[in-house]
Amino acid sequence: FKYAYLTQESSELLADEGVDIEGFLANDGGRALGNGAGTDFAVGNGSSKPNGLMNASGTGVTCASATVITPDEVIDLYHSVTSPYRINGAWIMNDATLKEVRQFKDSTNQYLWQPSLQQGNPDILLGSPVATDPNIETIATAKKVMAFGDMSKYFIREVQGIQVDRSVDFAFANDLVTFRFIYRADGDLMDTNAVKRMVMA
């Protein structure tokens, strides 16, 4: 699938620059393409876009409530993934869901969430690292709010990296220079046993 980003700058700006405008535009274009593709890699439905992780994974747990996740349901999700995939397992959810999960305690009043004590190491939940993605749905009726499993089984195929083109002809009448950034990629979960998701009631 193709992702594209186009921006235009005046020829005066490029000629008079005091900073590296083209370097800034390349960074900005890369970020725009990454945000667009990243959304689809997380939650794409596979129709005219990649099959995102949350769509491709199987349902491991359906919560009893549409608005509340329980600690037992998190443990059930963990064990819905077979043991070989739990070894390299990781959690993914958005920040709002993470906030709820961080408050979970077990029967001895100990937090299930364990913050990292070392810089550069991820926080852990039930012994596995936790990542966040703002594109994953927030807790609400029938939403896919969390996934756990071996994320290395989600494959992304990139074609030739990011293509950058520059044209002084496209907007010649307005004396604008056009920059176009193109990124082609696809993604899918290669083994649906490797990652399971949590769905609200």
Side-chain angles (χ1 to χ4, degrees):
F1 300 98
K2 184 184 289 187
Y3 298 85
Y5 175 74
L6 185 142
T7 186
Q8 294 178 323
E9 304 299 336
S10 69
S11 59
E12 292 89 354
L13 177 64
L14 296 173
D16 302 342
E17 63 179 299
V19 295
D20 181 11
I21 296 295
E22 292 184 359
F24 171 80
L25 293 175
N27 185 57
D28 204 43
R31 183 180 296 111
L33 296 176
N35 288 340
T39 298
D40 291 343
F41 294 147
V43 297
N45 62 12
S47 177
S48 299
K49 63 185 71 171
N51 195 19
L53 178 73
M54 297 304 288
N55 189 64
S57 56
T59 299
V61 172
T62 300
C63 295
S65 167
T67 57
V68 176
I69 298 172
T70 68
D72 285 349
E73 288 166 340
V74 172
I75 293 170
D76 287 343
L77 179 60
Y78 178 86
H79 285 282
S80 72
V81 175
T82 58
S83 180
Y85 292 122
R86 287 200 305 264
I87 293 170
N88 296 318
W91 302 89
I92 190 163
M93 61 196 82
N94 72 18
D95 280 326
T97 303
L98 181 59
K99 178 185 172 188
E100 299 294 322
V101 170
R102 289 187 70 172
Q103 299 175 46
F104 289 165
K105 295 180 181 178
D106 65 17
S107 57
T108 63
N109 214 33
Q110 298 296 311
Y111 284 103
L112 298 179
W113 173 270
Q114 296 294 318
S116 174
L117 299 177
Q118 254 185 328
Q119 184 176 5
N121 287 346
D123 298 319
I124 58 173
L125 175 64
L126 300 177
S128 297
V130 182
T132 59
D133 189 307
N135 299 298
I136 295 175
E137 296 174 319
T138 300
I139 297 171
T141 302
K143 298 298 185 183
K144 303 167 188 170
V145 298
M146 180 189 311
F148 173 76
D150 187 347
M151 303 300 171
S152 71
K153 299 305 178 187
Y154 186 87
F155 281 69
I156 296 173
R157 178 178 181 256
E158 297 180 328
V159 182
Q160 299 177 344
I162 296 176
Q163 174 186 336
V164 182
D165 299 307
R166 171 182 170 143
S167 172
V168 295
D169 300 321
F170 181 71
F172 178 78
N174 295 319
D175 198 21
L176 296 174
V177 179
T178 304
F179 294 88
R180 183 182 67 183
F181 303 86
I182 295 175
Y183 173 64
R184 290 198 302 132
D186 196 2
D188 205 351
L189 184 62
M190 295 295 103
D191 187 344
T192 55
N193 294 311
V195 181
K196 298 292 183 180
R197 66 183 176 230
M198 176 182 286
V199 181
M200 304 305 295

